[in-house]
Amino acid sequence: MTRQKIQIKKIDNTAARQVTFSKRRRGLFKKAYELSTLCDAEIALLVFSNTGKLFEYSSTSTRQVIERRNLQSERIDLLDPISTLELQLQSSTCAMLGTEIAEKTKELRQLRGEELQGLDLEELKHLEKLLEGGLNRVTQTKDELFFKEISILKRKEVELMEENQQLKEKMGNSPHMVQPTVAQQGLGQPSDCNGHAWRSYSSDISLRLGLPYPN
């Protein structure tokens, strides 16, 4: 069910008018408090009910704000018309910014799941789309960071493999590498490359012992 827009006109029913006055007055004071807090603004509000009762809100002091306003009016009277117009434009811009800040603050609270009372179905759907869009952006950013870290790790792996291969090549070409000798490869028997020394040594022993000469 969508909320019906209230027609802006005087409420004839006295009780309903009093209830609306109380609600709207509290909302107005709340907005003034938010504006003064968010923008560090000095605000004073004076409201008289139809019965003549005074309601007021001030971020500092109502009298102080009124005196400041009167002093500002005296200064404006001394300025040229162009400066007056600039001040009016600045005041209008400040008011617009204050309204925008209040709306954005309310929207931020709703994104956090606060102040959802009073929202109709279309407003809730719009809020849901905003949340889905934000979640998709968070997921996309997370995936990009994840793939970036994987790419860095792969590049480091390639660099380490290249360094390892270069180290192996340096060790293979080093002049300090000792080649195994003939004595280390065999049994350590005294012989030349053709085995003559061993045969001479064996024949000498055979003659001394009277053994047959080995072939």
Side-chain angles (χ1 to χ4, degrees), residues 14-210:
T14 304
R17 184 167 63 244
Q18 184 63 32
V19 171
T20 303
F21 174 77
S22 299
K23 290 182 178 180
R24 294 298 179 96
R25 173 177 52 81
R26 287 195 297 268
L28 179 62
F29 286 178
K30 181 180 178 181
K31 292 296 183 182
Y33 166 74
E34 292 177 353
L35 179 59
S36 64
T37 302
L38 294 172
C39 303
D40 193 23
E42 190 174 4
I43 299 175
L45 289 177
L46 297 176
V47 179
F48 287 93
S49 67
N50 60 344
T51 60
K53 186 176 180 180
L54 172 64
F55 299 90
E56 61 179 303
Y57 166 80
S58 175
S59 58
T60 54
S61 168
T62 303
R63 182 181 297 277
Q64 178 179 342
V65 175
I66 293 175
E67 291 177 352
R68 184 176 178 182
R69 196 274 175 200
N70 294 334
L71 181 61
Q72 187 73 14
S73 298
E74 294 175 0
R75 292 178 179 176
I76 291 176
D77 293 337
L78 299 176
L79 298 176
D80 56 83
I82 298 179
S83 299
T84 303
L85 179 60
E86 290 178 353
L87 288 174
Q88 291 176 351
L89 290 175
Q90 290 178 0
S91 300
S92 177
T93 303
C94 184
M96 292 175 61
L97 288 175
T99 302
E100 185 176 354
I101 289 174
E103 292 176 354
K104 294 300 182 182
T105 301
K106 182 178 180 181
E107 183 177 344
L108 180 60
R109 291 176 178 172
Q110 291 175 346
L111 288 174
R112 294 200 303 245
E114 303 174 2
E115 297 185 8
L116 300 179
Q117 296 81 3
L119 296 180
D120 56 26
L121 183 59
E122 293 298 326
E123 291 172 336
L124 290 173
K125 287 182 178 179
H126 175 69
L127 185 61
E128 183 181 15
K129 289 183 179 179
L130 291 177
L131 291 172
E132 290 177 351
L135 181 59
N136 290 335
R137 287 190 293 271
V138 170
T139 303
Q140 182 180 359
T141 303
K142 182 193 68 175
D143 292 341
E144 291 176 355
L145 183 60
F146 181 72
F147 287 120
K148 183 178 179 180
E149 292 180 353
I150 291 178
S151 177
I152 293 174
L153 291 176
K154 288 184 177 180
R155 185 168 63 252
K156 288 183 177 180
E157 181 184 8
V158 173
E159 292 175 355
L160 290 175
M161 292 177 64
E162 291 178 353
E163 292 178 359
N164 190 23
Q165 183 63 29
Q166 292 175 1
L167 183 60
K168 289 181 178 180
E169 293 176 356
K170 289 181 180 180
M171 293 179 63
N173 298 330
S174 175
H176 299 288
M177 296 296 292
V178 180
Q179 298 296 331
T181 62
V182 176
Q184 291 173 335
Q185 293 177 350
L187 299 176
Q189 299 171 340
S191 63
D192 56 11
C193 59
N194 296 319
H196 294 156
W198 168 247
R199 291 178 180 177
S200 175
Y201 179 73
S202 300
S203 61
D204 185 58
I205 294 177
S206 299
L207 290 174
R208 291 181 183 180
L209 297 177

